[in-house]
Amino acid sequence: MSKWLRKLPGYQTYEPGLERKVLLQLPQFTVMGVLAISLPSLLARLLLSSKAERIIDILVISTEIFFLSMVLTLAIAALIIMLSKGPAYVADAYPLIESDRPAE
């Protein structure tokens, strides 16, 4: 196993940056965002008719889906940046047999 995960000699690691802060605050941001987006639906149940409730519920659900997809996109981007700042590993050698003339 150790021969598979050999670190590249002379690689440079980078300090964690904004991506770590984003990943740490993402759960709290997600919960607060979902609650804030669902607030109009809760208020509509107290103040409006059932037809208006349904329309607002549809809008709230679609906004929730959009919000959660954006949060997922942000999490994937931060994770990719975090992984790319890690150590470099030696890749397998691949002999390239390519020339202008075919081998005889």
Side-chain angles (χ1 to χ4, degrees):
M1 183 75 170
S2 65
K3 74 176 188 174
W4 288 358
L5 298 176
R6 290 181 299 165
K7 291 182 181 175
L8 192 64
Y11 71 91
Q12 181 181 4
T13 57
Y14 294 93
E15 294 181 15
L18 184 62
E19 72 278 354
R20 295 283 178 136
K21 293 177 186 175
V22 167
L23 284 174
L24 288 175
Q25 293 178 356
L26 210 55
Q28 179 183 2
F29 176 72
T30 304
V31 169
M32 293 304 213
V34 166
L35 290 176
I37 292 171
S38 62
L39 189 61
S41 181
L42 297 174
L43 290 176
R45 302 214 182 283
L46 297 174
L47 304 173
L48 301 175
S49 66
S50 64
K51 186 176 180 180
E53 281 180 20
R54 280 183 260 153
I55 293 170
I56 291 176
D57 284 344
I58 290 170
L59 292 173
V60 165
I61 290 170
S62 62
T63 307
E64 292 275 354
I65 292 170
F66 176 74
F67 175 74
L68 291 175
S69 68
M70 290 299 108
V71 168
L72 181 65
T73 303
L74 183 65
I76 291 171
L79 193 79
I80 288 171
I81 292 171
M82 187 181 75
L83 290 174
S84 68
K85 286 186 175 183
Y89 292 99
V90 176
D92 292 336
Y94 180 74
L96 182 62
I97 303 171
E98 184 177 308
S99 66
D100 294 335
R101 291 177 281 153
E104 295 177 13

